[in-house]
Amino acid sequence: MEWETRYAGRMGRVKSSPIMELIRVLAERRVINFASGLPDPAGFPAKTLREAAAEVLTEDWRGALQYGEAEGYRPLREWVAADLTTRGVPTRAEQVLIVSGSQQGIDLVARALLEPGDLVLTEEPSYLAALQVFASYEATVRPILTDGEGLDPDAAAAALRQPGVKFLYTMPSHQNPSGATLAPERRRLLLEAAAAAGVPVLADEAYLHLRYDPGEPGPLAAAAPGAHVLTVGTFSKVIAPGLRVAWVAGPAPVIARLALLKQVTDLHANSLTQRVVHRYLSAGHLPAQVASLRAAYRTKRDAFLHALTRQLAGKATWTYPAGGMFLLLRLSPGQSPTALLSKAVDEGVAYVPGAPFFPAGGGEETIRLNFVSPALGEIDEGVARLARVIGP
Ligand SMILES: Cc1ncc(COP(=O)(O)O)c(C=O)c1O
């Protein structure tokens, strides 16, 4: 029998991501893929995870296969709290909620805080899937002037003073899509301005550990003690995204409220993968894993920048990523990466047009490039193809 689905009005604001659409198309074509948002699977520690999973399913199968607490597996919460504490953010386990991916962390925070019409401040450009979350709760996103050193502190302070601002969302280190990192001296200024305005900051530290240059940044929350920061972090980029293990940390009363929402959403994060991640972490594997990812991704980043300089100097400009997975390329005014995309796919290279990452419009001449997911040997050829598509 035919039936008509009468969707809620807010569903009109939930748009399919152009990236997901593109990934579907690319699955059927053999192209050099600079489009994806994926880490390089060669970096997944599959053998160690296999062993950790076998141990968990042998020694703790009752816990691993049973329902668990909404807040998450207690030893993993303790591990995250201890790790944040060593990074300058004193944290107790009660201040940590384990979530099914930091995407869910962003969603829970947005759902807990946003009323229709509220303002959310972001960088420009910002992470597309977070923008989609804010739109789904009918918030209005106001981007703040951003440069290679992250949010402009004066522009941020002025934006924070506007009425109706619910929170400011930022990726302080190696952001998606530009790779920019908030400069050390700007961090404290930002947190002071947010505190003065009474506006919390949602810091998405997804790429914190993927640093290729010297001078490893800490979490934003470490820049000012007692700052009003909710931090989301994830094991997706440093272990593997398919595990769906991530966390939100902040004041204990806020975490308790978010845990209620987490329960309403999916009861709790996966019992098995939380334990596998915890075993992996407590066996001390993470530092070597991060070091090996950094070495591999640094080599690719350098190869990519070298190829861009050789092939595209004078035709485009690009951001410099000290870490992370992405950089943003800017073509000459009037050139449209969206219009060029089918030509690029025919030429055998794919990218994501940057415009959707600009919440207030603009960015039409930009392209997001993932420099970690292609094989090292594909980078030069992929950039050469891109240069052919862009033209003289
Ligand atoms: C900035 C940023 N935040 C959050 C996520 C979501 O990661 P996950 O849900 O796997 O933790 C991503 C994934 O690409 C990201 O780029």
Side-chain angles (χ1 to χ4, degrees):
M1 193 176 71
E2 294 274 325
W3 55 287
E4 188 193 341
T5 309
R6 291 190 296 142
Y7 292 106
R10 65 179 174 280
M11 284 303 287
R13 304 178 58 139
V14 182
K15 300 273 188 311
S16 165
S17 152
I19 298 172
M20 287 302 181
E21 309 262 321
L22 192 61
I23 286 168
R24 263 194 287 280
V25 173
L26 294 178
E28 291 141 32
R29 309 278 297 258
R30 279 200 53 77
V31 297
I32 295 178
N33 188 354
F34 298 154
S36 91
L38 309 182
D40 182 354
F44 297 158
K47 181 168 172 290
T48 321
L49 289 174
R50 205 156 35 234
E51 288 161 7
E55 283 167 21
V56 166
L57 283 169
T58 306
E59 294 164 24
D60 185 15
W61 57 269
R62 279 192 181 78
L65 301 177
Q66 188 55 281
Y67 286 118
E69 291 174 52
E71 291 80 0
Y73 179 50
R74 177 84 194 188
L76 181 58
R77 297 171 74 201
E78 284 167 2
W79 190 94
V80 171
D83 186 62
L84 275 172
T85 303
T86 62
R87 294 177 195 280
V89 190
T91 307
R92 291 173 288 111
E94 292 69 34
Q95 295 178 265
V96 176
L97 171 69
I98 306 298
V99 286
S100 308
S102 52
Q103 186 67 27
Q104 183 179 58
I106 297 167
D107 181 76
L108 294 178
V109 171
R111 181 139 57 110
L113 299 186
L114 291 176
E115 308 270 9
D118 279 347
L119 295 183
V120 176
L121 304 177
T122 68
E123 284 139 20
E124 180 175 66
S126 184
Y127 170 49
L128 179 56
L131 300 177
Q132 289 176 307
V133 170
F134 307 147
S136 77
Y137 294 110
E138 303 175 65
T140 300
V141 173
R142 291 262 166 89
I144 301 172
L145 186 66
T146 308
D147 60 25
E149 307 220 298
L151 290 166
D152 178 280
D154 295 330
L160 282 160
R161 283 193 293 270
Q162 298 168 95
V165 176
K166 257 306 164 56
F167 61 87
L168 182 152
Y169 168 75
T170 176
M171 290 158 277
S173 295
H174 323 126
Q175 73 115 269
N176 178 1
S178 77
T181 293
L182 188 61
E185 60 282 8
R186 291 187 179 188
R187 294 181 174 226
R188 191 181 42 81
L189 292 173
L190 175 69
L191 294 181
E192 283 171 3
V199 172
V201 173
L202 175 57
D204 180 345
E205 304 280 9
Y207 298 101
L208 176 65
H209 301 293
L210 296 183
R211 176 79 178 183
Y212 317 129
D213 286 357
E216 186 183 343
L220 176 66
H228 303 189
V229 180
L230 287 167
T231 303
V232 289
T234 181
F235 296 104
S236 289
K237 313 296 175 182
V238 287
I239 304 181
L243 298 166
R244 311 307 297 135
V245 179
W247 47 269
V248 184
V254 179
I255 293 301
R257 298 296 285 271
L258 294 178
L260 285 176
L261 270 186
K262 169 73 181 157
Q263 194 167 19
V264 168
T265 305
D266 61 355
L267 301 184
H268 60 80
N270 185 311
S271 300
L272 172 60
T273 57
Q274 287 189 80
R275 281 167 175 75
V276 171
V277 167
H278 176 255
R279 196 159 279 244
Y280 182 91
L281 297 168
S282 49
H285 294 302
L286 192 63
Q289 162 71 4
V290 169
S292 117
L293 281 179
R294 283 179 174 175
Y297 287 179
R298 180 187 298 115
T299 305
K300 288 186 178 185
R301 191 247 350 227
D302 292 348
F304 214 103
L305 290 173
H306 187 66
L308 287 173
T309 306
R310 275 196 313 117
Q311 319 256 20
L312 281 171
K315 295 186 188 182
T317 58
W318 50 89
T319 57
Y320 174 81
M325 294 178 21
F326 306 103
L327 60 81
L328 200 70
L329 192 78
R330 195 176 282 275
L331 306 186
S332 320
Q335 278 196 300
S336 164
T338 309
L340 288 173
L341 187 55
S342 61
K343 187 176 162 200
V345 173
D346 289 344
E347 193 71 47
V349 63
Y351 57 76
V352 177
F357 295 86
F358 288 74
E364 281 85 6
E365 69 294 343
T366 65
I367 291 177
R368 187 191 73 169
L369 297 169
N370 177 330
F371 58 81
V372 308
S373 85
L376 185 59
E378 292 179 324
I379 289 174
D380 214 42
E381 175 57 24
V383 174
R385 292 178 188 178
L386 198 56
R388 283 201 291 278
V389 172
I390 292 168

